[in-house]
Amino acid sequence: MNEEDKVKESLEFCEDIYTYYEKKGEDEHLYSQYNKATQWKEEPVSYTEKYSEMKKIEQEEDASEEAEKQNFYYKEILPIILCVVVAFAVAKLLSAFVIQITVVHGDSMEATVSDKDKLFVGKLSYLNKKPERFDVIVFTKGDKTNLIKRVIGLPGEKVEIKKGVIYIDGKRLKEHYGLDPINPESEPLKMELKADEYFVLGDNRSVSLDSRYSSIGAIREDEIIGKALVRVYPLNKMCVISK
């Protein structure tokens, strides 16, 4: 090999070395940049940080579930509770001041109403007027259960019963409610009613405990609960109770 070839070969070798190191430098630079760009992925995460993150997610889920429960309560449960409370309050108010249900006990008002019938009683029926003759009223007397009878004598009248006939102020009463003749043992009877008293009889007069007997006597106005309006039970006998 001559001198010229040796020089040429030396130059090519130097060029190869230069190219190698230049490329190596570029590769190291690119790797450094990549390392910086992906450094967040390679950073180790501590157990405390992971636990905190999981706890935060659980708290968010719990809060979401609690919000759903509250939403269901306010939208679904609360309206039902309010409806029940309002209905109960209205029923109580109606029962106390307007209307109530009374159950018939015994056969004293056959055949107008019967034992175990249920009646609507109007408490406001006598708010602006007085009970009238032949009204069916519900009243209390001492510690007895509510009683149901028909008004026969009005305040201030003289009631007399003799030989099965009722007289009001000396005149025979025209009426058709008594199923049986009046018991002879309850005659003769004379009663003068006070300004706030009423004389009542059951329609089934052979078994009725009413104003003929001292345990009941005349009914004061403040003892009257109201007027029997409608028989609501049994359903097949539902009807308005009229004179």
Side-chain angles (χ1 to χ4, degrees), residues 133-152:
R133 198 183 319 278
F134 305 132
D135 282 357
V136 177
I137 64 170
V138 176
F139 61 92
T140 59
K141 198 70 178 179
D143 59 353
K144 299 181 183 298
T145 57
N146 293 350
L147 300 173
I148 303 169
K149 307 295 177 186
R150 191 179 298 276
V151 175
I152 299 297

Side-chain angles (χ1 to χ4, degrees), residues 62-72:
D62 291 343
S64 177
E65 186 176 348
E66 185 65 26
E68 288 180 4
K69 287 182 180 179
Q70 290 183 355
N71 192 42
F72 176 79

Side-chain angles (χ1 to χ4, degrees), residues 41 43-58:
K41 292 183 179 179
E43 288 181 355
V45 179
S46 67
Y47 174 79
T48 304
E49 290 175 345
K50 286 184 178 180
Y51 178 78
S52 299
E53 186 176 351
M54 290 175 62
K55 199 69 177 175
K56 183 178 180 182
I57 293 173
E58 287 180 1

Side-chain angles (χ1 to χ4, degrees), residues 9-106:
E9 185 177 353
S10 298
L11 290 173
E12 288 177 354
F13 178 75
C14 291
E15 186 177 355
D16 290 339
I17 291 174
Y18 175 79
T19 303
Y20 169 78
Y21 281 104
E22 185 179 29
K23 186 176 181 181
K24 183 178 180 182
E26 289 178 358
D27 289 343
E28 288 178 352
H29 176 72
L30 288 173
Y31 179 78
S32 176
Q33 293 297 322
Y34 173 79
N35 229 11
K36 290 180 181 179
T38 58
Q39 186 174 8
W40 63 275
K41 292 183 179 179
E42 297 178 356
E43 288 181 355
V45 179
S46 67
Y47 174 79
T48 304
E49 290 175 345
K50 286 184 178 180
Y51 178 78
S52 299
E53 186 176 351
M54 290 175 62
K55 199 69 177 175
K56 183 178 180 182
I57 293 173
E58 287 180 1
Q59 290 174 350
E60 289 176 353
E61 290 177 350
D62 291 343
S64 177
E65 186 176 348
E66 185 65 26
E68 288 180 4
K69 287 182 180 179
Q70 290 183 355
N71 192 42
F72 176 79
Y73 172 78
Y74 285 117
K75 286 188 175 181
E76 303 293 337
I77 304 300
L78 187 59
I80 294 175
I81 294 174
L82 289 176
C83 286
V84 171
V85 171
V86 170
F88 181 78
V90 170
K92 280 292 185 182
L93 289 173
L94 288 175
S95 177
F97 302 107
V98 182
I99 200 166
Q100 76 175 42
I101 294 179
T102 293
V103 180
V104 178
H105 298 284

Side-chain angles (χ1 to χ4, degrees), residues 222-233:
D222 61 5
E223 293 174 325
I224 297 174
I225 296 173
K227 181 180 180 180
L229 302 175
V230 180
R231 174 165 48 196
V232 295
Y233 181 86

Side-chain angles (χ1 to χ4, degrees), residues 157-169:
E157 292 182 339
K158 295 178 181 179
V159 180
E160 185 177 358
I161 300 177
K162 57 183 179 181
K163 295 182 180 180
V165 180
I166 302 172
Y167 296 88
I168 302 294
D169 291 337

